[in-house]
């Protein structure tokens, strides 16, 4: 059985467990405690069902806590005593062994539920702390920033984590909105430290009235310093880098300034004209963390960005998603299907289509941002 099939089966069982009514986990075992001794009384002497009372306690332990498990366990022991007394075999060696075994197993199941509940409480606290910490690093984007509206979608490659190796952020200056989207080499939890370095550097400098080239140079210095610091304890840090696109969108001028550091080109969407254009820069920069190797001079490219235009920023976790035949996801073609959707619903449609395209599982970090200048259409 494959890992994907096992994970899917596990999620199905968990969903069924959560969906089952809580009283069902007590009522069903209680019926077993009542019915098994009654049925035992009407069966031939050589057929004995009372040993099945352990099922009642086990079922209760699966779906409830220690107190209901202890209650059903005690009733099961009493039911076994009643069944033995009714058949006048209570003092026989076989029934005494069954009785001691049932009592011991019930106590073990109660202990199991106590340990399980404590573990679940500890896990819930750890997840709550982890979620808060991760959301501090990858903050939600505002719906509106200056002259543009924003929407985002994110998927981490590792289960139960909010962020991984992809990143995005937005910041305001006095007259423009600045955005970054990036992809750390690697994925999941192992790349969060690099994600934090990039986002911290961007947020520290993006609100200043400095040219876009100086902002990217500042982020490059911070990433290079951070990776050099980590390389002392982690030899692989010297091989890490971050691809990124940094945008500056003036409030009063219908353009967008962009510097690309080895990142996939954003898509310019014009719903009115039903066109999708990749924004390729003529002077791309190396990924962040590698700029010092070539003494890079950053140059911003400028593209028209009119009212109603949209820019779709994404990481390679989107475009490198494959179908069952190994074909990459055709983002530029698919996005036109939902051109009339508002930014948030459009990104959700792409995410759902990605999952369907990949057969239900996304195996890489994935991030998308949609930026629209001017008014936002009604949600579709």
């Amino acid at each position: 059985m494959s890992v994907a099939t096992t994970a899917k089966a596990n999620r199905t069982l968990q969903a069924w467990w959560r969906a089952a009514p809580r009283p069902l986990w007590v009522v069903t075992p209680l019926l077993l405690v009542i019915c098994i001794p009654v049925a035992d009384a009407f069966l031939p002497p050589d057929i004995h069902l009372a040993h099945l009372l352990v099922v009642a306690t086990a079922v209760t332990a699966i779906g409830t806590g220690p107190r209901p498990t202890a209650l059903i366990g005690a009733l099961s022991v009493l039911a076994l005593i009643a069944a033995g007394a009714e058949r006048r075999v209570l003092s026989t060696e076989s029934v005494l062994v069954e009785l001691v075994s049932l009592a011991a197993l019930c106590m073990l199941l109660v202990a199991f539920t106590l340990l399980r509940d404590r573990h679940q409480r500890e896990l819930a606290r750890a997840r709550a702390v982890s979620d808060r910490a991760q959301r501090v690093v990858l903050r939600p984007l505002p719906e509106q920033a200056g002259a543009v509206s924003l929407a985002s979608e994110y998927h981490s490659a590792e289960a139960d984590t909010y962020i991984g190796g992809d990143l995005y952020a937005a910041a305001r200056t006095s007259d423009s909105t600045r955005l970054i989207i990036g992809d750390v080499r690697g994925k999941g939890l192992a790349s969060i430290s690099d994600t934090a370095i990039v986002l911290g550097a961007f947020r520290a400098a993006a609100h200043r009235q400095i040219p876009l080239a100086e902002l990217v140079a500042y982020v490059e210095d911070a990433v290079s310093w951070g990776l050099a610091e980590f390389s002392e304890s982690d030899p692989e840090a010297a091989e890490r880098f971050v691809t990124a696109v940094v945008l500056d969108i003036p409030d009063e001028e219908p353009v967008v300034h962009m510097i690309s550091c080895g990142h996939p080109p954003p898509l310019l969407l014009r719903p009115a004209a039903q066109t999708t254009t990749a924004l390729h820069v003529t002077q791309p920069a190396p990924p962040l963390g590698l700029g010092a190797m070539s003494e890079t001079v950053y140059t911003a490219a400028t593209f028209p960005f009119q009212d109603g235009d949209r820019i779709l920023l994404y990481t390679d976790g989107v475009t490198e998603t494959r179908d069952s035949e190994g074909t990459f996801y055709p983002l530029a073609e698919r996005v036109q299907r939902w051109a009339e959707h508002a930014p948030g619903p459009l990104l959700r449609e792409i995410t759902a289509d990605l999952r369907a395209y990949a057969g239900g599982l996304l195996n890489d970090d994935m991030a998308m941002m949609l930026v629209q200048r001017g008014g936002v259409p009604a949600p579709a």
Side-chain angles (χ1 to χ4, degrees):
M1 183 179 293
S2 67
V3 174
T5 303
T6 303
K8 184 176 181 180
N10 186 48
R11 288 194 297 271
T12 302
L13 288 172
Q14 289 179 347
W16 177 80
W17 181 84
R18 287 191 295 265
R22 279 309 196 198
L24 184 65
W25 295 106
V26 176
V27 172
T28 301
L30 192 59
L31 290 174
L32 288 174
V33 170
I34 296 172
C35 294
I36 287 176
V38 172
D40 208 36
F42 292 96
L43 292 173
D46 58 336
I47 299 178
H48 188 43
L49 297 181
H51 60 278
L52 295 177
L53 286 166
V54 69
V55 174
T57 309
V59 169
T60 309
I62 292 173
T64 66
R67 291 184 179 180
T69 302
L71 173 63
I72 295 299
L75 292 176
S76 297
V77 171
L78 292 175
L80 181 57
I81 293 173
E86 190 276 332
R87 288 196 170 198
R88 294 188 176 89
V89 292
L90 183 58
S91 59
T92 62
E93 182 177 345
S94 175
V95 173
L96 288 175
V97 169
E98 285 185 13
L99 188 59
V100 172
S101 300
L102 178 60
L105 186 56
C106 289
M107 287 188 288
L108 286 174
L109 288 172
V110 171
F112 162 76
T113 56
L114 283 168
L115 292 173
R116 182 194 62 195
D117 287 1
R118 186 174 69 179
H119 173 71
Q120 288 178 341
R121 288 193 297 270
E122 292 174 351
L123 182 61
R125 285 195 296 269
R127 284 179 175 171
V129 172
S130 175
D131 286 346
R132 292 190 187 100
Q134 292 178 64
R135 290 176 187 276
V136 168
V137 175
L138 190 68
R139 302 171 190 169
L141 295 178
E143 293 184 1
Q144 193 75 27
V148 298
S149 57
L150 304 172
S152 62
E153 279 287 314
Y154 197 99
H155 166 81
S156 176
E158 297 193 20
D160 300 321
T161 60
Y162 179 68
I163 64 174
D166 288 357
L167 58 97
Y168 55 68
R172 283 286 299 164
T173 67
S174 61
D175 58 0
S176 71
T177 300
R178 288 176 168 174
L179 306 168
I180 185 172
I181 188 167
D183 184 359
V184 176
R185 181 181 179 270
K187 61 183 180 180
L189 290 173
S191 54
I192 288 181
S193 61
D194 299 343
T195 300
I197 291 172
V198 177
L199 291 177
F202 175 80
R203 291 178 181 132
H207 66 281
R208 300 175 184 172
Q209 296 295 131
I210 59 176
L212 189 63
E214 290 185 24
L215 168 61
V216 178
Y218 176 87
V219 176
E220 162 64 31
D221 288 344
V223 172
S224 297
W225 175 84
L227 294 180
E229 184 181 42
F230 279 117
S231 65
E232 297 177 2
S233 58
D234 182 6
E236 293 185 0
E239 301 177 1
R240 297 208 296 260
F241 55 83
V242 183
T243 66
V245 169
V246 186
L247 305 181
D248 185 45
I249 306 173
D251 292 344
E252 303 299 332
E253 190 179 359
V255 296
V256 56
H257 307 296
M258 182 176 83
I259 294 177
S260 176
C261 301
H263 199 77
L267 298 178
L268 176 63
L269 314 177
R270 290 198 163 118
Q274 296 184 342
T275 60
T276 301
T277 306
L279 300 180
H280 292 281
V281 299
T282 56
Q283 294 179 283
L288 300 173
L290 302 179
M293 299 175 63
S294 59
E295 298 182 356
T296 302
V297 176
Y298 295 100
T299 303
T302 301
F303 301 93
F305 190 42
Q306 310 282 345
D307 279 352
D309 288 354
R310 297 171 170 181
I311 294 177
L312 176 60
L313 302 124
Y314 56 92
T315 58
D316 61 11
V318 177
T319 50
E320 293 184 1
T321 295
R322 300 172 184 262
D323 63 9
S324 58
E325 298 179 353
T327 305
F328 289 124
Y329 182 74
L331 177 62
E333 299 174 14
R334 297 287 185 111
V335 71
Q336 280 298 332
R337 297 182 180 183
W338 310 288
E340 301 303 319
H341 286 53
L346 187 149
L347 292 186
R348 289 193 288 273
E349 290 285 0
I350 295 175
T351 302
D353 193 47
L354 267 175
R355 293 184 186 278
Y357 191 84
L361 290 175
L362 298 178
N363 297 318
D364 195 4
D365 297 325
M366 177 275 288
M368 292 186 289
M369 275 200 301
L370 190 66
V371 190
Q372 175 168 320
R373 183 184 284 278
V376 178

